[in-house]
């Protein structure tokens, strides 16, 4: 069947035959070309273009062609830091029309990257507007504005002094630099990434001061080893900080040009509310955004790969920076949850180093020493060419100045020669012949303005001549001496480091291990049901100490507070929080912030305000903690009107809150605790009476009971404290009472305080009047604070400052000791 050739192009100059067609355009010239050869040739040309003109940076200035053209064109447009911003579209248009004919989107994307502080360790473009984030793209170029940063000026400095070769642009109408002078080691400082054909580059950013320190060392010691350079450049320094764990891959990359390292987010565990702990991330891995992390956390929770997470919030803002909060369920170990987050989310990422860059027009894989050497050689070349250019300019200017000085010495004759000449050419020849001047000197004199003929002008010219001679001598010395040249380059590098250098942001860690217990075993995901103590302080803080042992003597006291209640329980159990209304709130022990138990008294500063954990009624306040576990001793309560009640544990419900006593109108609970039958109960009243009796005399009642008479109160007196002393603590129990005037405002009068052994008070029957516990001083008429517990007692102010109590007084009804500070709470 015949075939007809049609001009349907599918490649470069190749044609295809179509079945059952007639010949069209018979006048065209048909050329038969080998398609496979054409494809090979075209692909090689395309590969060459991508490698050399798009994807790979030059090792000297660390820029790809489009980046170099952007900075050069912005410099030509005068978009300096001290000038205003201009529309990004204007810059993109100029770069595309004059230097880079590859489309506006490619140019704008490259310019955006140069302006992003989370991408570049030292941004080269100062962007105004929305230049994107790690999770979102930038606004269109018509909405954003740009100008150069001060660092970019260092990249283009001295371009007009013949420091680099200039090459034609794409249409041979303009010249552009083959490479920028680059006073900043940009390739190492800002890194680079790109995908070419058959090769790619991926280089992390570094710290400017460290890189320059390494380059200066290499300048001074050309034979420096890699190990010596690593002491100055220990590892990458990422724009957003974070941590780098495991340095072996970095050292491998510094040696061979290829390697990898792990970047990890910076996190700490804190109380994000009174009852919850959270993991707060303040720095993320390189090029990882918070929204990406949140998405992966949600996927991990749905796939059951992540446990113990109740929520995640992105609280990042401009004023406080990065703050990504992961809420941890109370039953789970925050450290173990953090380890799982590092394992299953981008909070820990790997970065593969592939140091591929163009060296003398050829793609090469470079180690740290090679990268520094290329940059150092480039700066030596730039400085040498700059010095030679300045030397030529200085010599040319000196030649003109010397000629002008010759003319000024005999200016009248010079003027006479010029006036008597027919034309400028004749005047030039006569000046050259009569005063032994060169053609350039004669032309310069002919163009001389008359105001330069003053005596002052001659002094200026002589001073300029001397300065030029000194400059020429210095430049000749630099060009003639390699050590002088290296010293100059090193000093200029030092100035750049001082001007643009910033402290290191990324922490380098040798080990990849995440925190584990001392025994080295993996962290358990869920918190174990270990024994613990829950403490309540006099300033209203509640905290948990994980310990199976008895608290040491004085160990129940906070370092800056007094513990008024301590309940022994387990991590997964519930405790009761009792208020002055007789309500008991069930509180999971895991909801209480944990604090470490040290040999000294623990600090409850890491605890939480107990009042913030519940929705208390108006006027309701927390009194103490009680044990509501199975088998606990009855809850014993005392009210201000002298009632005493014990609630049987069998009557304790599972709901929260539940009431433990039916209070009379105007009555409140003043003290409570767990008391077995062998315990001793102590009631102290406002009129300084103390009644001590056995708990066995108070029969347990149901929750609806109002209690029974505890103490016989005098008129206008009330109970202010309840003490519960176990049988084995009777011998070391003390009574602390604080007296003051009833008319004074609470917290304004220090009053007097007394400490007495409980054994000094005789035991009496329930519902009697008791005995006097403190004799009032002049101006005192009531007790407003009292405490019964194991010695020594401790007192604190309203802000938790310790207040020393007086020594124990043997006489039970003695007067107190004057105080200089106001006591707010007394406890163990």
């Amino acid at each position: 069947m015949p075939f007809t050739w049609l001009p349907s192009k599918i490649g470069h100059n190749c044609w295809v035959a179509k079945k059952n067609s007639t010949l069209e355009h018979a006048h065209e010239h048909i050329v038969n070309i080998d398609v496979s050869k054409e494809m090979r040739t075209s692909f090689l040309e395309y590969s060459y273009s991508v490698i050399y003109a798009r994807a790979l940076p030059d090792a000297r200035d660390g820029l790809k062609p489009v980046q170099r053209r952007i900075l050069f064109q912005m410099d030509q447009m005068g978009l300096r830091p001290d000038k205003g911003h201009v529309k990004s579209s204007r810059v993109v248009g100029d770069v595309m029309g004059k230097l880079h004919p590859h489309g506006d989107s490619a140019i704008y994307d490259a310019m955006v990257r140069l302006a992003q502080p989370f991408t570049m360790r030292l941004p080269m473009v100062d962007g105004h507007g929305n230049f994107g984030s790690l999770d979102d793209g930038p606004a269109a170029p018509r909405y954003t504005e740009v100008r150069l940063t001060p660092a970019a000026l260092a990249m283009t400095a001295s371009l007009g002094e013949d420091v680099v070769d200039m090459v034609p642009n794409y249409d041979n109408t303009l010249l552009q630099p083959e490479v920028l002078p680059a006073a900043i080691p940009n390739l190492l400082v800002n890194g680079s990434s790109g995908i070419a054909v058959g090769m790619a580059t991926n280089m992390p950013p570094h710290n400017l001061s460290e890189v320059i320190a390494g380059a200066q060392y290499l300048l001074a010691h050309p034979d420096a080893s890699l190990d010596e350079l690593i002491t100055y450049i220990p590892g990458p320094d990422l724009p957003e900080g974070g941590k780098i764990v495991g340095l072996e891959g970095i050292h491998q990359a510094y040696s061979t040009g290829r390697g990898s390292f792990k970047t990890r987010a910076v996190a700490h565990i804190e109380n994000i509310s009174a009852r919850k702990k959270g993991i707060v991330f303040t720095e993320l891995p390189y090029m990882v955004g918070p929204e990406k992390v949140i998405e992966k956390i949600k996927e991990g929770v749905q796939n059951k790969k992540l446990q113990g997470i109740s929520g995640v919030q992105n609280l990042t803002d401009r004023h406080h920076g990065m703050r990504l909060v992961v809420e941890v369920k109370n039953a789970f170990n925050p450290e173990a949850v953090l380890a799982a987050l590092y394992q299953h989310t981008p909070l820990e990422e790997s970065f593969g180093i592939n140091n591929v860059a163009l060296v003398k027009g050829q793609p090469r894989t470079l180690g740290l020493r090679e990268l520094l050497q290329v940059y150092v050689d480039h700066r030596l070349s730039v400085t040498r060419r700059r010095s030679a250019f300045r030397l030529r300019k200085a010599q040319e200017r000196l030649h003109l100045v010397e000629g002008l000085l010759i003319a000024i010495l005999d200016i009248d004759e010079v003027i006479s020669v010029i006036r008597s000449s027919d034309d400028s050419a004749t005047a030039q020849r006569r000046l050259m012949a009569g005063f032994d001047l060169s053609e350039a000197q004669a032309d310069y004199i002919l163009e001389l303005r008359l105001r330069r003929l003053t005596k002052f002008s001659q002094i200026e010219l002589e001073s300029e001549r001397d300065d030029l001679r000194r400059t020429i001598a210095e430049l000749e010395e630099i060009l003639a001496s390699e050590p002088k040249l290296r010293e100059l380059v090193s000093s200029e590098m030092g100035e750049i480091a001082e001007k643009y250098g910033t402290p290191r942001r990324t922490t380098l860690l040798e080990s990849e291990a995440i925190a584990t217990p001392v025994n080295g075993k993996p962290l358990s995901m869920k918190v174990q049901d270990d024994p613990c103590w829950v403490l309540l302080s006099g300033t209203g803080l509640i905290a948990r100490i994980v310990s199976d042992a008895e608290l040491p003597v004085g160990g129940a006291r906070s370092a800056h507070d007094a513990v008024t209640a301590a309940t022994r329980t387990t991590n997964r159990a519930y405790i009761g929080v009792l208020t002055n209304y007789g309500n008991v709130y069930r509180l999971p022990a895991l909801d209480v912030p944990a604090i470490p138990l040290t040999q000294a008294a623990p600090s409850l500063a890491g605890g939480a305000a107990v009042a913030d954990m519940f929705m208390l009624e108006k006027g309701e306040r927390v009194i103490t903690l009680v044990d509501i576990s199975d088998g606990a001793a009855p809850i014993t309560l005392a009210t201000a009107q002298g009632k005493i009640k014990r609630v049987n544990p069998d009557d304790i419900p599972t709901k929260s809150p539940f009431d433990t006593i039916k209070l009379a109108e105007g009555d409140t609970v003043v003290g409570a605790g767990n008391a077995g039958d062998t315990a001793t109960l102590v009631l102290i009243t406002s009129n300084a009476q103390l009644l001590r009796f056995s708990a066995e005399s108070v029969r347990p009642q149901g929750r609806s009971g109002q209690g029974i008479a505890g103490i016989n109160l005098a008129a206008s007196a009330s109970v202010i404290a309840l003490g519960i002393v176990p049988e084995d603590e009777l011998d070391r129990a003390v009574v602390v009472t604080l007296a003051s005037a009833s008319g004074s405002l609470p917290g304004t009068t220090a009053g007097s305080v007394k400490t007495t052994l409980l054994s000094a008070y005789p035991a009496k029957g329930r519902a009697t009047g008791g005995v006097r516990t403190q004799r009032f001083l002049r101006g005192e008429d009531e007790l407003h604070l009292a405490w019964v517990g194991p010695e020594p007692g401790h007192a604190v102010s309203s802000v938790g400052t310790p207040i020393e109590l007086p020594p124990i007084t043997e006489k039970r009804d003695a007067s107190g000791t004057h105080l200089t500070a106001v006591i707010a709470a007394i406890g163990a």
Side-chain angles (χ1 to χ4, degrees), residues 88-100:
S88 299
S89 295
R90 178 181 168 188
V91 176
V92 170
D94 275 19
V95 173
M96 181 171 58
K98 295 181 178 180
L99 305 174
H100 195 77

Side-chain angles (χ1 to χ4, degrees), residues 6 69 103 146 162 175 226 283 356 374 432 475 645 722:
L6 291 180
R69 290 162 183 168
V146 292
D162 191 32
L175 291 177
L226 177 62
E283 296 175 8
V356 178
V374 170
M432 292 172 61
L475 291 171
K645 179 182 179 182
L722 166 68

Side-chain angles (χ1 to χ4, degrees), residues 404 407-408 411 443-450 452-453:
L404 192 55
I408 289 178
I411 191 60
D443 286 341
Y444 188 68
I445 291 171
L446 287 172
E447 296 178 0
L448 182 67
R449 294 184 178 183
L450 293 177
R452 296 294 305 274
L453 302 180

